[in-house]
Amino acid sequence: MLSKKTKYGLKALTYLASQSKREPVQISEIARHENISQKFLESILLTLRKAGFLGSKKGKGGGYYLLKDPSEIPMTTVIRVLEGPIAMVPCVSLNFYEKCDDCPDENKCAVHKLMLQVRDSVLQVYRNNTLADLITE
Amino acid sequence: MLSKKTKYGLKALTYLASQSKREPVQISEIARHENISQKFLESILLTLRKAGFLGSKKGKGGGYYLLKDPSEIPMTTVIRVLEGPIAMVPCVSLNFYEKCDDCPDENKCAVHKLMLQVRDSVLQVYRNNTLADLITE
DNA sequence: TTTTATCCTATAGTTTTACTAGATTTATTA
DNA sequence: TAATAAATCTAGTAAAACTATAGGATAAAA
């Protein structure tokens, strides 16, 4: 299951990406438009800013804005920041690899064999989509 | 992330599938061979039996055994029983569909658009693999 | 200096996960 | 038929993760 954090984060990012002008948008506006708790969204946007996706401006007329063009933001990086590893098990993760302590031999492990395929196919989808591809209209 | 329940369940199923004879195997043997807590495995095997994958025999010489040929058991059904919905969000689930209450129009939702693709690609992998395909050697 | 808005830390409630304990039931076998 | 081996059932729980909220600090603009 996708966490609410990831879901809301994606919605906020696409809302910012769909903006005609690249000017700061207030948290309250995003929260209202996407039906998200403002306080929760606040912490999510902070994560996205620290990860380098967003810039922010304080004070009146402040808010959040995208730092890059939406077509330059692949889903792989967004998902990894919001949701964590793309792989379903650490032993098939590219960026967060960890050996299973219950498994003597990965090459003979059925779970490993299956999840390698899942990882590859999911990765292909995420690599194939940038933020720009998710904007409708 | 894949739950331990699913991971252990898959391992237990492949262990049973790799058996040369289709005779009852004791929980303790599976637990020992796959490094799984016996009590936890017990509840997992119960789930698999109730779902129709396994049969059981009580008393001495009892245990669990596969009811079908491994090639007749697709991963889609196994994963749905152990892990639940394959879709990452309920609004793209085939078997467990639910509308998001924060989302006025699914067709304009970025999360929906992306997760539809993820669901399709993951489904393809699970449909392409039966229990028989996971056995090595 | 007042208003507006982000920044930051803490924390509370809920749900899920991963297991454990122990009593019960059933089937074999001596 | 009594003993024993083995599965079943019920219940509970500790820890972690997730979701959300509170409250004040900080910074910028008017």
Side-chain angles (χ1 to χ4, degrees):
Chain A
M1 274 291 153
L2 206 68
S3 69
K4 293 261 156 105
K5 184 181 175 184
T6 303
K7 187 181 172 188
Y8 294 162
L10 276 173
K11 285 194 166 198
L13 282 174
T14 41
Y15 184 73
L16 290 174
S18 70
Q19 230 63 18
S20 54
K21 292 175 186 170
R22 195 102 321 156
E23 280 170 4
V25 180
Q26 292 162 36
I27 295 179
S28 60
E29 182 184 333
I30 307 174
R32 205 178 330 112
H33 197 271
E34 301 293 335
N35 294 308
I36 306 170
S37 142
Q38 178 165 338
K39 273 294 185 183
F40 191 25
L41 181 58
E42 219 172 276
S43 70
I44 297 168
L45 293 176
L46 206 61
T47 305
L48 290 171
R49 185 182 64 81
K50 285 180 179 166
F53 296 112
L54 302 179
S56 68
K57 204 185 161 192
K58 290 183 182 177
K60 194 170 186 182
Y64 283 96
Y65 51 90
L66 281 180
L67 285 176
K68 297 184 206 163
D69 192 83
S71 65
E72 303 283 304
I73 302 176
M75 279 304 112
T76 39
T77 64
V78 176
I79 295 291
R80 286 205 180 99
V81 164
L82 290 171
E83 189 77 6
I86 290 169
M88 301 283 280
V89 278
C91 71
V92 300
S93 177
L94 293 174
N95 292 259
F96 303 85
Y97 176 84
E98 250 177 81
K99 196 184 172 311
C100 300
D101 41 0
D102 58 307
C103 202
D105 186 356
E106 280 179 7
N107 301 322
K108 288 180 186 165
C109 176
V111 178
H112 187 83
K113 197 174 179 182
L114 182 64
M115 291 306 147
L116 260 181
Q117 296 176 54
V118 173
R119 184 207 66 189
D120 284 341
S121 77
V122 172
L123 217 42
Q124 202 169 19
V125 172
Y126 287 152
R127 284 190 176 138
N128 217 19
N129 279 277
T130 69
L131 194 50
D133 297 311
L134 298 186
I135 304 169
T136 44
E137 296 161 287
Chain B
M1 273 292 150
L2 205 71
S3 68
K4 292 261 156 108
K5 183 181 174 185
T6 304
K7 188 181 170 187
Y8 294 163
L10 277 174
K11 285 193 167 199
L13 282 174
T14 41
Y15 183 73
L16 289 174
S18 70
Q19 229 64 16
S20 55
K21 292 176 186 170
R22 196 102 319 156
E23 282 171 1
V25 180
Q26 293 162 36
I27 295 181
S28 60
E29 182 184 333
I30 307 175
R32 206 177 331 112
H33 196 271
E34 300 293 335
N35 293 307
I36 306 170
S37 140
Q38 177 164 340
K39 272 293 183 182
F40 191 26
L41 181 59
E42 220 173 272
S43 69
I44 297 168
L45 293 177
L46 203 62
T47 305
L48 290 171
R49 185 181 66 82
K50 284 179 180 166
F53 296 113
L54 302 179
S56 67
K57 204 185 163 194
K58 290 183 184 178
K60 195 171 184 181
Y64 283 96
Y65 51 91
L66 280 179
L67 284 176
K68 297 183 206 164
D69 192 83
S71 65
E72 303 283 304
I73 303 176
M75 279 305 111
T76 41
T77 64
V78 176
I79 295 291
R80 284 205 181 99
V81 163
L82 291 170
E83 189 76 5
I86 289 169
M88 300 284 280
V89 279
C91 70
V92 299
S93 177
L94 295 174
N95 293 260
F96 304 86
Y97 175 84
E98 250 177 82
K99 196 185 172 308
C100 301
D101 41 1
D102 58 308
C103 202
D105 185 356
E106 280 179 6
N107 301 321
K108 288 180 185 165
C109 177
V111 178
H112 187 82
K113 197 175 180 182
L114 183 63
M115 291 306 147
L116 260 181
Q117 297 177 56
V118 173
R119 184 207 65 190
D120 285 342
S121 76
V122 172
L123 217 43
Q124 204 169 18
V125 172
Y126 288 152
R127 283 190 175 138
N128 216 19
N129 279 277
T130 68
L131 194 51
D133 297 311
L134 297 186
I135 303 170
T136 43
E137 298 160 286

